[in-house]
Amino acid sequence: MVTIKSKREIELMREACRVAALAQQEIEKAIKPGISTFELDKIAENVIRSNGGIPAEKGYPSGIKGVPDFPGSICASVNDEVIHGIPSKKVILKAGDIVSVDLVAYKNGYNGDCARTYIVGNVPETTKKLIEVTKQAFFEGIKFAKEGNRLGDISHAIGSYVEKNGYSVVREFQGHGIGAQMHEDPGIPNYGKSGRGLRLQEGMTLAIEPMVIMGKPGILELEDGWTIISEDGSLAAHYENTVLITKNGPEILTII
Ligand code: MG
């Protein structure tokens, strides 16, 4: 079910999203060669909890027998890892790496969700371009995030921008509605046809999240049951914000 948020709910969403954005800001400051993804996880958890929130990814059920619930407060996916990387003391970032950090803050009954891909030290221009295109794909998509447009308008804008730049969008995972639940309807693919799908309405809150692979589109899941990597071993980037649909256009709640 697609939920339409009331004015009061939107204010609560705004606050949860503010906390999520704060956590990303602190992570960005901390990124440097030698830091572990476990340390990044602790930074995010501290920011979220000290602002009255709960890191909603921690304990997220896998839904699969034998696969433990998600242990981290963030997903930290390095280089060819696309999403759902598990933070670890053993994963030490080094110059030339990229790391995608996806986190959700839950506060006062509502969720805020955002993801960024960070560079560690110096990376090649080709890597920077992948990250830039992934971010810009989000902004191309939300040009259509306005009451009266269709969900497919957003999906098509994202997918066609990524492909025009010679990269691949991940098709097995998608963005989603968000609110009292981390994952609500509708699903928001990063490819599709414009003019199709759900009609957007004021008060919808959507987590729009291009996941982009530099090479071919295939993915694999690691044996931990969580981490998703690119099948061809090429780099992957992720960019996500929680967006409020209004009559006049999008309002990005996780950029402060
Ligand atoms: Mg997310």
Side-chain angles (χ1 to χ4, degrees):
M1 193 184 73
V2 178
T3 59
I4 303 295
K5 277 73 176 182
S6 66
K7 278 213 169 72
R8 176 185 156 274
E9 288 179 303
I10 288 167
E11 287 318 304
L12 295 171
M13 286 289 298
R14 211 183 286 287
E15 174 59 12
C17 288
R18 186 187 70 84
V19 174
L22 276 178
Q24 289 284 6
Q25 285 179 351
E26 291 307 311
I27 283 175
E28 183 170 21
K29 287 183 207 162
I31 297 263
K32 58 171 191 232
I35 196 164
S36 71
T37 55
F38 177 83
E39 288 169 275
L40 298 180
D41 182 272
K42 289 301 141 209
I43 289 167
E45 179 164 11
N46 288 337
V47 172
I48 293 169
R49 291 195 191 280
S50 65
N51 281 276
I54 293 167
E57 289 172 356
K58 202 179 188 94
Y60 193 85
S62 73
I64 300 161
K65 209 176 164 193
V67 177
D69 298 343
F70 195 78
S73 295
I74 63 171
C75 296
S77 308
V78 180
N79 294 335
D80 63 330
E81 296 174 354
V82 186
I83 50 170
H84 302 168
I86 299 173
S88 167
K89 288 178 182 169
K90 292 183 196 150
V91 179
I92 315 282
L93 298 176
K94 57 184 193 308
D97 284 342
I98 60 173
V99 58
S100 298
V101 175
D102 186 1
L103 60 88
V104 181
Y106 179 80
K107 183 172 177 182
N108 300 326
Y110 290 85
N111 291 282
D113 189 353
C114 52
R116 307 281 182 262
T117 299
Y118 300 107
I119 62 171
V120 185
N122 287 324
V123 302
E125 286 303 317
T126 49
T127 304
K128 285 185 192 160
K129 189 186 166 204
L130 171 73
I131 294 170
E132 267 314 301
V133 166
T134 305
K135 180 178 179 180
Q136 187 58 33
F138 166 85
F139 286 98
E140 294 297 320
I142 66 160
K143 287 178 183 170
F144 298 90
K146 167 178 166 179
E147 180 159 281
N149 284 343
R150 301 269 192 180
L151 203 57
D153 299 335
I154 297 175
S155 298
H156 176 260
I158 292 171
S160 57
Y161 182 78
V162 169
E163 284 167 9
K164 193 175 76 186
N165 279 280
Y167 304 138
S168 304
V169 291
V170 172
R171 292 180 172 241
E172 294 84 349
F173 293 89
Q174 57 185 1
H176 49 92
I178 181 168
Q181 304 298 320
M182 189 197 298
H183 295 118
E184 298 186 352
D185 289 335
I188 310 170
N190 290 309
Y191 64 95
K193 291 202 165 104
S194 48
R196 302 279 180 88
L198 181 76
R199 200 175 281 285
L200 302 175
Q201 275 181 60
E202 186 166 45
M204 288 178 178
T205 42
L206 307 176
I208 298 172
E209 49 175 324
M211 290 159 260
V212 177
I213 295 174
M214 193 181 259
K216 297 203 182 82
I219 56 165
L220 294 171
E221 186 182 270
L222 294 187
E223 282 187 357
D224 62 22
W226 283 103
T227 311
I228 301 297
I229 61 167
S230 65
E231 191 172 10
D232 67 2
S234 66
L235 295 175
H238 189 192
Y239 187 82
E240 174 181 31
N241 284 301
T242 299
V243 174
L244 169 67
I245 304 297
T246 77
K247 284 198 165 62
N248 303 318
E251 190 183 331
I252 303 171
L253 302 182
T254 42
I255 293 181
I256 53 171

